[in-house]
Amino acid sequence: MPEEKRRLSNPVQRRLSRAEIEALIVRYREGASIDGLARLYEVHRTTVIHHLNQAGIARRRVVRKLTDESVARAAARYEEGASLAVVASQFGVHQRTLASELRRAGALIRPRRGWHR
């Protein structure tokens, strides 16, 4: 029996209505993140950025979540043996954010349990 050819999945393009775009802009101005809006409206983040740009809305700067001092304290906790997840939770950031900050500060990130590098 011949093998069935499979088509690559194409994401469905979702077009936002004028009312949705206006609501998106209001939510952004109220502090919603671009990624959060993309999830809410089920569109790609570049779609959100496009609509903000079209409306002439200045985008917010990405604000660093941790100070140099808090990175040093987090690095000390991590070097004491606490996991990335535990330390990230204590500092109120995502694990990837913490790992990125620790790498920038020169810390080595341990491989996850059961993972081989």
Side-chain angles (χ1 to χ4, degrees):
M1 192 167 220
E3 203 173 301
E4 182 182 317
K5 286 192 175 187
R6 295 184 187 189
R7 194 172 152 211
L8 293 176
S9 66
N10 287 334
V12 175
Q13 288 188 350
R14 176 157 151 46
R15 302 214 185 266
L16 299 179
S17 69
R18 173 61 32 210
E20 288 174 314
I21 293 169
E22 289 170 6
L24 176 146
I25 291 167
V26 168
R27 284 190 165 111
Y28 183 76
R29 284 183 171 153
E30 291 174 346
S33 70
I34 289 173
D35 288 337
L37 290 168
R39 284 189 301 273
L40 179 65
Y41 289 96
E42 297 176 342
V43 294
H44 196 274
R45 67 186 317 275
T46 57
T47 302
V48 173
I49 292 168
H50 170 77
H51 289 302
L52 294 173
N53 289 342
Q54 288 290 89
I57 307 300
R59 297 211 329 255
R60 295 185 297 268
R61 284 182 5 129
V62 174
V63 178
R64 188 173 173 209
K65 308 285 190 261
L66 297 169
T67 64
D68 288 339
E69 181 184 319
S70 59
V71 170
R73 289 195 328 263
R77 285 281 299 125
Y78 183 69
E79 288 170 5
E80 290 169 359
S83 70
L84 269 178
V86 167
V87 178
S89 175
Q90 290 172 345
F91 284 84
V93 296
H94 193 277
Q95 294 177 70
R96 286 185 296 225
T97 301
L98 179 63
S100 173
E101 288 284 358
L102 292 178
R103 279 189 202 96
R104 193 174 297 129
L108 293 176
I109 304 301
R110 298 185 299 266
R112 290 172 47 184
R113 191 177 300 160
W115 284 44
H116 302 283
R117 286 193 175 173

